[in-house]
Amino acid sequence: MDELIAGVQLTPLKHIPGNAGDIFHVMKNDSAGYKGFGEVYISTVKNGFVKGWKRHTKMTLNIVVPVGRIRFVLYDEGTKKVQEIILSPENYNRLTVTPGIWMAFKGEANGESLLVNFADIQHDPAEADNLTLDNTAIPYEWK
């Protein structure tokens, strides 16, 4: 993988398979990327659907994908760098995205994919910027 955009971190996590069900680690208070606790939420995305573009101005995201497969696309407006990261149970990592990075994501598994975000502050719609997917300010074409 190319060098990550500044402010983006990818942390390998433990995925412990079990006969009765699996365990997926998410975050500890001494984990890289931990900036405090605001809220945890779960979001689903259907196969072929894209959510985004969004840029937080205060919130740090810590995202894992324990079910399905999601392609995350990150964009640094300052450097004009675009980066793709795929998360899934087979590529089980925590994606940390600090404020100021644009992000969108696409479901790539049959059915729904599930992401968990461990955020450092509570959701506040006023602290995020949004763009439509067809906005030409971000040089990325969804396939």
Side-chain angles (χ1 to χ4, degrees):
M1 170 177 286
D2 294 339
E3 184 176 324
L4 292 173
I5 290 173
V8 175
Q9 195 173 11
L10 203 55
T11 306
L13 297 174
K14 287 185 182 178
H15 169 196
I16 304 166
N19 290 338
D22 294 358
I23 295 171
F24 293 89
H25 284 215
V26 176
M27 178 72 79
K28 298 177 184 178
N29 65 358
D30 63 351
S31 296
Y34 180 80
K35 305 259 188 256
F37 175 74
E39 72 175 357
V40 173
Y41 67 81
I42 295 170
S43 179
T44 61
V45 59
K46 295 177 181 176
N47 183 29
F49 283 83
V50 179
K51 292 185 178 184
W53 294 101
K54 185 174 234 174
R55 172 179 62 185
H56 287 279
T57 59
K58 297 177 186 171
M59 181 185 284
T60 296
L61 310 172
N62 285 287
I63 298 170
V64 297
V65 177
V67 176
R69 175 185 161 102
I70 300 177
R71 176 180 308 274
F72 293 87
V73 179
L74 307 165
Y75 177 64
D76 182 341
E77 206 167 24
T79 63
K80 308 293 186 217
K81 184 172 183 176
V82 174
Q83 188 154 47
E84 293 182 332
I85 296 173
I86 295 173
L87 297 182
S88 68
E90 296 75 31
N91 185 34
Y92 194 63
N93 290 272
R94 181 177 55 249
L95 173 62
T96 302
V97 182
T98 57
I101 305 294
W102 286 100
M103 185 178 79
F105 56 91
K106 180 179 182 180
E108 293 191 343
N110 291 330
E112 286 187 323
S113 296
L114 182 142
L115 73 80
V116 178
N117 180 25
F118 186 107
D120 65 333
I121 63 172
Q122 290 184 21
H123 175 74
D124 173 4
E127 74 79 40
D129 301 317
N130 295 281
L131 292 173
T132 61
L133 292 173
D134 60 356
N135 191 300
T136 58
I138 297 177
Y140 186 81
E141 187 175 323
W142 290 95
K143 304 168 191 98

